[in-house]
Amino acid sequence: MFGDADPVEWKGHAPQAYPVHGIDVSRYQGNIDWPTARAYGVSFAFIKATEGADHADSSFSSHWYGATLAGVPHGAYHFYYFCRSAEEQANWFIANVPKERGALPPVLDLEWNAGSRTCPYRPDSETVLSEVQTFLNIVGRHYDQQPIVYTTPDFWQHNQLWRLHGAQPWLRSVAAHPSERYPGEEWTFWQYSGTGLVPGVAGQVDLNTFAGSRRDWSAWVADQAL
């Protein structure tokens, strides 16, 4: 029931083959009509909470509250900043994201940010893995959940993210099934579009699907939610 401003002609496994879909949002989506979004098929949402060790998304609270009222399962995500320590960033996320019953696992967004004016630093893969593992360990212990790691094909490959422990993959692949971009890798969520059109959301929004049936989804939420 979603549209797309830049649709892809899928070959092989298309996202429509999966029954459970959702969105990820930040302040750029503005105000969201969450009941309408849910009515048109939004089964989950990941909401930007923090970035680095001193930036909080200005729409986090309103999105979090709106999704809660509408009954949309939701979790928070942190955009990693390579010029601050993992400990600082984990503590900043914890300070801004409530430990709330029913919340989905915390998400760490890992991607190179070539356009950053303040942090063009690209550490080597061993440093990335060590720091990311520290973040996941701290946040996972605090929320007593197995975190989710969102990433892109280039970041995944360059940093060998399959070597991480205690994280569930959320993989971006907007022109092909994840099996083509991440061969042999199991995934929990797949981001298949960055140009989605969803009733209740003004403008474009990222679209995602869960790797399983509706029954699998219900079981996963029962097992993973706080």
Side-chain angles (χ1 to χ4, degrees):
M1 302 176 74
F2 302 158
D4 201 313
D6 187 18
V8 170
E9 184 177 344
W10 296 97
K11 298 177 181 179
H13 293 291
Q16 291 76 17
Y18 299 91
V20 180
H21 295 252
I23 58 177
D24 59 276
V25 300
S26 68
R27 64 184 177 87
Y28 294 109
Q29 275 66 51
N31 295 325
I32 295 175
D33 182 341
W34 288 99
T36 296
R38 181 186 181 191
Y40 278 85
V42 172
S43 296
F44 62 86
F46 290 111
I47 301 168
K48 185 175 182 179
T50 51
E51 180 174 336
D54 55 10
H55 175 77
D57 191 275
S58 58
S59 293
F60 174 69
S61 294
S62 62
H63 287 335
W64 189 268
Y65 184 65
T68 300
L69 288 182
V72 176
H74 54 283
Y77 76 86
H78 174 82
F79 188 89
Y80 200 82
Y81 186 76
F82 295 97
C83 294
R84 299 293 290 268
S85 72
E87 291 89 345
E88 289 178 295
Q89 297 190 64
N91 291 332
W92 179 243
F93 181 83
I94 289 168
N96 284 275
V97 176
K99 192 173 181 179
E100 186 175 288
R101 183 176 178 84
L104 300 182
V107 177
L108 179 57
D109 181 340
L110 293 172
E111 50 190 296
W112 296 127
N113 187 8
S116 176
R117 293 174 295 177
T118 58
C119 184
Y121 177 50
R122 289 175 61 143
D124 62 85
S125 59
E126 292 302 321
T127 300
V128 169
L129 288 172
S130 176
E131 286 289 287
V132 166
Q133 193 68 65
T134 296
F135 182 99
L136 296 175
N137 292 344
I138 294 172
V139 170
R141 282 195 302 267
H142 176 80
Y143 294 98
D144 194 26
Q145 292 174 297
Q146 186 180 49
I148 297 166
V149 167
Y150 166 89
T151 195
T152 59
D154 61 330
F155 196 97
W156 173 273
Q157 185 66 36
H158 179 83
N159 295 291
Q160 303 176 25
L161 292 190
W162 56 85
R163 295 169 56 193
L164 291 172
H165 301 287
Q168 306 180 73
W170 171 13
L171 305 178
R172 176 176 172 84
S173 183
V174 298
H177 190 269
S179 61
E180 297 183 39
R181 296 290 183 263
Y182 309 81
E185 183 59 40
E186 294 185 359
W187 51 275
T188 304
F189 295 94
W190 166 24
Q191 185 183 86
Y192 61 87
S193 177
T195 53
L197 302 173
V198 175
V201 182
Q204 299 177 12
V205 65
D206 295 334
L207 302 179
N208 306 274
T209 189
F210 171 75
S213 66
R214 293 191 182 279
R215 179 176 293 182
D216 294 334
W217 170 247
S218 296
W220 185 87
V221 171
D223 184 56
Q224 299 287 330
L226 271 172

